Amino acid sequence: MTSRTPPHDAHPYLRAASAGLRHHTRALAPPDANPPWPADRLHLDLLHAHLTALLQFLDRLAENTRPSHPAAGRHLATVHTRLWQAATEIHSAFHLLPSNTAAGDEASACHPERLPEGPPVQTICQRHLAAGHVVRRKTTPTDLRPHTTACVR
């Protein structure tokens, strides 16, 4: 049994991705689990893949929005930068978690030319380097420094 997407719904895949993340968040820590399950490398690799896909999406959205609505485009570009910072921290956390292989420290080092135990298509390091190349072409080092916010709303 499948439900059809209404013809006016232009973003069904984005809604499905969001629903998938909500479901995974609930399923990751069942209420009766004792203790809660810590993150593992596979979860962080998949989360990093999701963040980098979202980076590409936000980049296009900002570029398309900026000509007609410059202020909104700048805000989207700022979101893009903050999301990159989150992806960087996920990448760092990935390398701090223990590896499933016996090599230990060697497996946790960042070697894009090698394939860790993750998905065979693209490693987290290769994905991170590719995303970093795009981010650094569009932002300055000042933009990439840690951000603190003082929301006035």
Side-chain angles (χ1 to χ4, degrees):
M1 195 162 40
T2 61
S3 62
R4 293 190 45 127
T5 304
H8 65 278
D9 188 3
H11 309 287
Y13 297 115
L14 191 56
R15 284 192 224 301
S18 298
L21 283 174
R22 283 191 304 272
H23 171 73
H24 185 74
T25 301
R26 284 190 303 269
L28 185 61
D32 60 338
N34 194 8
W37 303 106
D40 60 12
R41 286 183 136 202
L42 179 60
H43 281 105
L44 292 184
D45 187 26
L46 293 171
L47 183 57
H48 188 271
H50 188 78
L51 288 176
T52 53
L54 195 53
L55 273 169
Q56 291 174 345
F57 178 68
L58 272 168
D59 190 34
R60 285 193 181 157
L61 229 103
E63 296 236 350
N64 293 342
T65 304
R66 196 173 291 129
S68 56
H69 305 286
R74 281 192 303 273
H75 281 286
L76 290 174
T78 301
V79 170
H80 182 268
T81 302
R82 303 303 172 241
L83 191 60
W84 165 249
Q85 291 169 333
T88 298
E89 295 302 324
I90 293 288
H91 179 250
S92 297
F94 175 88
H95 288 295
L96 293 175
L97 289 176
S99 173
N100 292 340
T101 63
D105 291 336
E106 179 64 22
S108 68
C110 189
H111 295 288
E113 71 279 2
R114 292 194 221 150
L115 208 58
E117 68 275 6
V121 177
Q122 189 176 35
T123 68
I124 189 172
C125 297
Q126 289 170 327
R127 186 183 324 110
H128 196 71
L129 288 171
H133 178 72
V134 172
V135 167
R136 284 183 176 84
R137 279 188 304 136
K138 296 183 178 209
T139 56
T140 66
T142 304
D143 293 335
L144 295 176
R145 72 173 181 242
H147 176 69
T148 58
T149 185
C151 186
V152 293
R153 290 186 185 187

